[in-house]
Amino acid sequence: MKLAEHTWPEVKMLLERDPVAVIPVGAFEQHGHHLPLMVDAHLAGSVCEKAAERACDDGTAIVVTPTVWTGYSPHHMDFPGSVTLDDGTFSAVVGQVARSLAHHGFRRIAMINGHGGNMNLLKNLTQTLFYEHGIRAAAASYWDFALAELADWRESDKGGIMHACEMETALMLATRPDLVDMDKASDHLLDRSAYFGADLLSGGAVASAASFRELSPTGVIGAPSFASEERGEALLEAMVARLAAFFADFATWPRNDEEETRS
């Protein structure tokens, strides 16, 4: 299931099963005073690997690449330690990973994101890969598949789920509690126009840009105080189940070369 752990002859044999290839995409940026810089990369990789393992157990041929550990995060660069790629470099890096996989015969490539700032670029990349390179690609954030469950799971009010928030803190407590310092966690809700996105489940309608330093003195937008390890484990289970179901479904999508044959 983990591509990095296979030899090339093993990959050659695996390709005979027409597997889905999953590229987890993260970021390396501040997450307040209580969470480490690795949150987005860690959670994207963890959820993808757990979901792929479940899909594999259920009969889906699938491999997961190592996580692309940094992403598009210029809005976090006022906070020390954050690392960003510019938009062109980010798209080139992820695109080259996808094109390398396609070169070897992977025909369905899922780019699963763990950082909101990456998503517009990944959506655009799916079109570039398809129309310019003939590669069937799909892109989504890992939480997208469980928004209904997330809405029922949350305990904070509107504004509590955004960044270093109730959701991310709970998931980190469930997967890497040794890296979470809840004594330093503090809530900060965004107080701006309703047109400006303030919550993962109830964002504004208008796209805009701002530095996180402008939005929050601590780098937190949300309510991490509501997080717990037990609640994180429950949410993780829901996300893994939903993502595994997508992987199984994606494995049935027509490959681009199949569409060309039918036409």
Side-chain angles (χ1 to χ4, degrees):
M1 185 272 294
K2 295 181 181 180
L3 183 62
E5 297 181 358
H6 288 286
T7 65
W8 74 260
E10 289 172 342
V11 175
K12 184 177 180 180
M13 289 189 294
L14 179 63
L15 283 165
E16 297 176 1
R17 298 181 59 200
D18 192 21
V20 169
V22 179
I23 307 172
V25 183
F28 196 84
E29 62 191 28
Q30 68 82 24
H31 278 76
H33 294 179
H34 68 293
L35 294 177
L37 299 166
M38 62 178 278
V39 167
D40 293 342
H42 166 71
L43 291 179
S46 295
V47 176
C48 281
E49 289 182 1
K50 291 177 184 297
E53 183 176 7
R54 182 167 303 185
C56 186
D57 289 343
D58 291 338
T60 300
I62 188 167
V63 295
V64 182
T65 73
T67 302
V68 178
W69 64 270
T70 188
Y72 184 69
S73 304
H75 45 305
H76 291 280
M77 291 302 289
D78 287 335
F79 294 87
S82 300
V83 175
T84 191
L85 303 177
D86 62 36
D87 53 356
T89 303
F90 173 82
S91 297
V93 168
V94 181
Q96 288 286 358
V97 174
R99 289 167 62 186
S100 295
L101 294 170
H103 172 82
H104 296 299
F106 291 95
R107 294 291 178 253
R108 300 176 189 84
I109 298 173
M111 301 174 291
I112 304 300
N113 175 52
H115 166 56
N118 293 338
M119 202 57 230
N120 286 337
L121 300 179
L122 289 173
K123 287 179 179 178
N124 185 65
L125 184 57
T126 64
Q127 299 181 76
T128 300
L129 289 171
F130 185 79
Y131 295 117
E132 297 184 14
H133 303 285
I135 299 170
R136 171 71 67 197
S141 297
Y142 66 81
W143 55 81
D144 288 336
F145 301 96
L147 292 179
E149 289 86 350
L150 185 57
D152 291 336
W153 172 90
R154 72 179 305 164
E155 293 182 352
S156 62
D157 294 330
K158 178 180 177 181
I161 298 180
M162 188 63 157
H163 182 79
C165 56
E166 178 183 7
M167 179 188 80
E168 288 188 321
T169 304
L171 291 174
M172 286 297 294
L173 285 169
T175 57
R176 286 299 305 271
D178 56 308
L179 296 179
V180 182
D181 188 347
M182 289 302 290
D183 290 337
K184 295 181 179 178
S186 60
D187 297 353
H188 179 82
L189 304 185
L190 191 61
D191 184 19
R192 302 199 80 170
S193 167
Y195 292 101
F196 191 84
D199 191 276
L200 183 65
L201 296 172
S202 55
V206 176
S208 186
S211 166
F212 247 69
R213 178 70 75 179
E214 173 190 348
L215 303 177
S216 169
T218 64
V220 171
I221 298 179
S225 65
F226 286 84
S228 70
E229 181 176 352
E230 294 74 19
R231 298 186 63 238
E233 290 172 349
L235 181 59
L236 180 64
E237 168 59 28
M239 290 177 164
V240 167
R242 290 297 187 182
L243 184 55
F246 166 70
F247 288 154
D249 187 83
F250 188 45
T252 70
W253 291 19
R255 305 178 335 191
N256 194 34
D257 56 344
E258 291 174 340
E259 292 180 342
E260 290 173 351
T261 300
R262 286 199 300 270
S263 63

